[in-house]
Amino acid sequence: MRRDEREAAYVEFVTTRRSHLRRIAYVICGDWTQADDLLQQALVKLYVAWPRVHRDGREEAYLRRILLNANIDESRRPWRRERSTDRVPDHAAREPLPVEERSALMDALHQLPEIQRKCVLSRHWLGLSVAETSAELRIPEGTVKSYTARGLATLEGLLSAEHEEQQTGQPIC
Amino acid sequence: MSLRESIDRDPTGAPADPFDLDLTLRRGRRVVRRRRTVAALTGTAATVVLATALTAGLSTSGDPVRDTAVASRGSEIRCPAAEGLIPECTSQVFRYDNNVTVTSSGKLVVRAGWSVTRRVEDPIANVRTVAVAVSDGTEVEWALIEYPDANGDAFAEHTGPRDFPGVAFDDWLDYAKSRWTGEGTTAVVRFNQAGELVAQPGWSISQQATGLTMPAGYRGPADVTAVVQVLGPKRSGGWYLVRHTPTGAEAFPVVAWDGGMEGSIEGVLEYASSSYVLSEQGFLRGSS
């Protein structure tokens, strides 16, 4: 595949699907900066794998797998790798979203352990089957079921507590 | 309302999208170029002469920025306390509160009050990098930094003894190099004909386990069948994951972040199973 052909198809895909993929990255990470970094890395990998992935029509599945398999907790560690530059950025540094702009649902999702969150999101948001989730996350199907069940139960508890807190104005201890 | 609907309708707003398509394309092209270069080197490395010729060819065909980077090696810019006196010493240069960096023109810059205590040029073969330890007299930061390409892009990793308690700079550097390249070392141990690990000259084995099957969830390098702890000229008590190769053995150093690894065969396996960053293994070569 010639480079201009590769890039035309790649650019079209990225332009069309990026908003949706960015949303997936955010729901997985719970942080827009981290989500944008993660998606950027994933899109570079997609570029590299494009001829093979595009031929098989697996572009979105390929990116979803990268996003789901990213070790979010790992990247929160104090050491990291990055792309550095001394060019002045084209845009101002991003202000974090105010806390109140992050919903109770997102807060609750990100209180789940990472693997439980990924199982819940894969099954109940992305619509993957148990077998597909097992393949995507590389964990046994039984583990997918138990993590999903535990994640949903925890999520329900967190959201109920949040709801009661809003009703009474008192934190639930 | 289902969870799917709740998430789809979630009101959390998104900030402006900083996505830069041109930058993504440049980075993608760069990885593709690098892979082709590595493939070419692998396919034609039958003779030292040819490999040397290729390396020389790569050096002379490098972009002007890389040449500048080479020319500027060996010294660093120590920033004064007042910003603006030296063009390289701007707040944009030191990202994420790092205290040392390399500018896009290839200059090593150290934050005011900090100085270089160790500097290793080109610790990774065929990739222009610098490893440094810097200190302000109290804190220590370690960094492995790639000299930037023509676009100013480069990989960099910053950490320090606080993240790796009890680990020496050289041990961390071996580990970082292995992760960046996805390659182990052949200099430490080899398998003998009986399938046992034996130490290479200058090294001794203090613990080993061979014929291992990696536990479920293992995320370290592929095809590993052994774990070994060695004593050597640079490492004391260093742990490696080991796999067979046609010529002997390839050993991957394992150094745990935040002391999170018990010093035993089981501890290394447990660490590699639960915490090893497979997604970062070999990223410099553009693994996907």
Side-chain angles (χ1 to χ4, degrees), chain B residues 29-147:
Chain B
R29 289 175 199 140
R30 182 175 178 228
V31 174
V32 170
R33 267 201 313 274
R34 183 170 272 158
R35 279 191 161 184
R36 286 176 181 155
T37 304
V38 171
L41 283 167
T42 306
T44 56
T47 67
V48 174
V49 173
L50 185 53
T52 306
L54 273 170
T55 306
L58 286 172
S59 307
T60 53
S61 63
D63 57 63
V65 172
R66 285 201 177 279
D67 292 341
T68 306
V70 174
S72 67
R73 292 184 190 195
S75 61
E76 62 269 349
I77 297 170
R78 294 177 64 179
C79 290
E83 191 172 318
L85 297 176
I86 297 178
E88 287 82 359
C89 296
T90 63
S91 55
Q92 280 91 4
V93 167
F94 298 104
R95 304 181 74 207
Y96 304 113
D97 296 325
N98 297 332
N99 298 297
V100 59
T101 190
V102 172
T103 68
S104 59
S105 54
K107 294 173 183 165
L108 189 73
V109 184
V110 184
R111 190 187 288 276
W114 291 69
S115 58
V116 174
T117 56
R118 284 286 307 276
R119 178 167 177 165
V120 181
E121 289 289 345
D122 293 326
I124 299 174
N126 296 323
V127 181
R128 291 177 177 164
T129 52
V130 59
V132 289
V134 295
S135 175
D136 66 350
T138 307
E139 294 287 320
V140 174
E141 178 177 320
W142 299 335
L144 179 56
I145 308 171
E146 184 184 21
Y147 283 100

Side-chain angles (χ1 to χ4, degrees), chain A residues 7 18 79 83-84 86 103, chain B residues 10 17 29 95 104 152 257:
Chain A
E7 292 194 348
R18 191 182 144 72
W79 59 275
R83 296 268 181 176
S84 63
D86 59 357
S103 71
Chain B
D10 187 81
D17 189 346
R29 289 175 199 140
R95 304 181 74 207
S104 59
W257 175 80

Side-chain angles (χ1 to χ4, degrees), chain A:
Chain A
M1 181 183 282
R2 288 173 45 199
R3 191 172 100 174
D4 51 355
E5 291 173 357
R6 169 198 197 123
E7 292 194 348
Y10 173 85
V11 167
E12 183 184 355
F13 172 80
V14 170
T15 306
T16 309
R17 301 302 295 157
R18 191 182 144 72
S19 293
H20 173 64
L21 294 164
R22 189 178 183 228
R23 179 85 175 155
I24 294 178
Y26 170 71
V27 176
I28 291 172
C29 297
D31 176 277
W32 283 107
T33 302
Q34 195 179 12
D36 286 333
D37 285 350
L38 179 60
L39 184 54
Q40 172 86 25
Q41 288 173 27
L43 288 173
V44 171
K45 288 183 177 177
L46 176 66
Y47 179 94
V48 176
W50 184 258
R52 171 171 50 90
V53 173
H54 182 57
R55 186 185 59 226
D56 299 342
R58 295 187 298 108
E59 301 93 334
E60 192 141 337
Y62 179 84
L63 279 172
R64 190 182 60 221
R65 174 167 285 190
I66 293 174
L67 297 176
L68 280 173
N69 280 289
N71 196 332
I72 308 303
D73 290 341
E74 196 78 32
S75 57
R76 286 182 181 143
R77 289 177 169 181
W79 59 275
R80 61 189 140 208
R81 68 185 157 85
E82 75 231 2
R83 296 268 181 176
S84 63
T85 175
D86 59 357
R87 290 174 299 176
V88 177
D90 297 332
H91 48 84
R94 180 183 304 157
E95 292 294 329
L97 283 175
V99 172
E100 63 270 23
E101 286 187 28
R102 211 172 95 153
S103 71
L105 175 60
M106 288 297 151
D107 275 343
L109 273 172
H110 291 97
Q111 287 182 54
L112 299 183
E114 183 180 335
I115 189 67
Q116 287 185 22
R117 182 169 71 246
K118 288 178 174 178
C119 285
V120 168
L121 291 172
S122 298
R123 296 279 293 112
H124 293 277
W125 184 43
L126 299 174
L128 303 186
S129 67
V130 170
E132 288 168 332
T133 304
S134 164
E136 295 276 305
L137 297 175
R138 297 169 188 164
I139 55 177
E141 292 189 14
T143 309
V144 170
K145 291 177 187 171
S146 61
Y147 280 161
T148 305
R150 268 190 268 167
L152 283 175
T154 308
L155 197 59
E156 191 175 352
L158 289 168
L159 290 171
S160 298
E162 169 74 20
H163 182 68
E164 284 184 42
E165 191 176 321
Q166 281 180 348
Q167 298 290 313
T168 63
Q170 295 293 318
I172 307 297
C173 299

Side-chain angles (χ1 to χ4, degrees), chain B residues 186-191 196-206 208 228-231:
Chain B
T186 56
V188 177
V189 291
R190 63 179 172 81
F191 283 101
E196 298 160 338
L197 279 175
V198 292
Q200 295 282 38
W203 297 82
S204 64
I205 293 175
S206 49
Q208 66 165 297
V228 66
Q229 184 186 32
V230 295
L231 300 172

